[in-house]
């Protein structure tokens, strides 16, 4: 008998030092995702690992907008932007994957947020909703119909990747025990509501 065809792809989102304890944009309890995600990476045949990967002076950094505090919001042509602490600057230790992550040799990588003038939460599209990031191409080339998401942060990169996945017609499951949120002003509860109404499975 041929092995069963497993069409689901595990997408491990942004488990990087800056989002973990001691990082510049630390997500509460981030390390709790590690054992869950490592176990998942051990059983999925197809794994994509994403990294937030910004140039210095990225427009999502509060430091690029003098007078605007960290975690405040501004309007940009691409929509409302939360201003973050500097984080995940390309090739810095903060952008590296957490050392406790056991990435299988067969994993594919997607880096996002590389354009200085545009933020990107989704591994499908940049925030202009127009520029492809790379996940869709990987999924299409492997005939995937379903993605399973875990990582950081539930209310930003997981949320937007999940919503874009649904909009592209994929089945999407978010592993709740394998992700943690930033939770700015109730954004975590709001994210789950948005995902549930878009038909994202919460497992
Ligand atoms: C993220 C805020 C800023 C994330 C990335 O990975 O969820 N959040 N950049
Ligand atoms: Zn970022």
């Amino acid at each position: 008998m041929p092995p069963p065809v497993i069409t689901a792809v595990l997408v491990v989102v942004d488990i990087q030092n800056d989002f973990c304890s001691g990082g510049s944009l630390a997500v509460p309890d981030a390390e709790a995702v590690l054992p869950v995600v490592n176990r998942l990476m051990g059983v999925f045949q197809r794994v994509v690992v994403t990294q937030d990967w910004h140039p210095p002076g990225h427009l999502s950094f509060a430091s690029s907008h003098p007078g605007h505090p960290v975690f405040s919001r501004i309007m940009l042509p691409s929509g409302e932007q939360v201003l973050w602490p500097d984080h995940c600057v390309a090739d810095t230790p903060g952008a590296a994957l957490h050392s406790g992550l056991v990435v299988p040799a067969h994993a594919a990588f997607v880096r996002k947020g590389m354009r200085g003038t545009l933020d990107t939460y989704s591994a499908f599209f940049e925030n202009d909703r127009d520029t492809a990031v790379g996940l869709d191409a990987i999924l299409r080339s492997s005939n995937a119909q379903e993605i399973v998401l875990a990582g950081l942060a539930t209310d930003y990169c997981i949320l937007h990747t999940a919503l874009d996945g649904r909009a592209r017609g994929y089945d999407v499951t978010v592993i709740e025990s394998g992700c943690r949120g930033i939770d700015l002003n109730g954004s975590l509860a709001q994210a789950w509501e948005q995902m549930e109404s878009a038909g994202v499975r919460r497992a």
Side-chain angles (χ1 to χ4, degrees):
M1 277 248 294
V5 179
I6 298 173
T7 57
V9 173
L10 175 67
V11 182
V12 174
V13 177
D14 297 1
I15 306 185
Q16 295 165 267
N17 291 326
D18 271 341
F19 294 124
C20 296
S21 341
S24 60
L25 181 45
V27 176
D29 202 28
E31 283 78 9
V33 308
L34 287 169
V36 179
V37 169
N38 284 337
R39 184 156 35 79
L40 291 169
M41 285 196 293
V43 296
F44 273 75
Q45 291 169 6
R46 285 183 285 180
V47 177
V48 176
V49 174
T50 76
Q51 280 175 294
D52 209 33
W53 198 259
H54 299 309
H58 190 252
L59 112 162
S60 76
F61 298 169
S63 61
S64 305
H65 306 271
H68 294 268
V70 164
F71 300 125
S72 66
R73 290 152 201 267
I74 56 167
M75 273 315 286
L76 293 175
S78 52
E80 196 183 65
Q81 172 73 51
V82 178
L83 297 179
W84 303 110
D86 288 21
H87 65 278
C88 297
V89 173
D91 287 318
T92 63
L97 294 171
H98 189 285
S99 61
L101 202 62
V102 186
V103 180
H106 58 81
F109 290 85
V110 169
R111 287 174 171 172
K112 61 187 176 55
M114 302 197 286
R115 280 211 278 167
T117 54
L118 194 56
D119 204 10
T120 300
Y121 296 138
S122 163
F124 285 98
F125 297 103
E126 299 205 357
N127 285 7
D128 63 1
R129 316 309 315 144
D130 204 31
T131 312
V133 170
L135 182 57
D136 201 43
I138 293 174
L139 298 178
R140 273 185 288 144
S141 72
S142 56
N143 268 323
Q145 284 141 26
E146 182 182 357
I147 56 174
V148 176
L149 295 171
L152 308 170
T154 316
D155 38 356
Y156 289 93
C157 286
I158 300 231
L159 166 68
H160 290 279
T161 301
L163 295 180
D164 280 353
R166 292 295 300 142
R168 300 294 297 163
Y170 295 101
D171 285 335
V172 180
T173 301
V174 174
I175 307 294
E176 188 168 13
S177 61
C179 55
R180 288 295 182 278
I182 296 174
D183 204 12
L184 274 188
N185 312 308
S187 59
L188 186 55
Q190 227 176 59
W192 281 116
E193 274 167 33
Q194 279 178 274
M195 289 194 283
E196 271 163 19
S197 52
V200 173
R201 231 178 280 120
R202 179 177 185 167

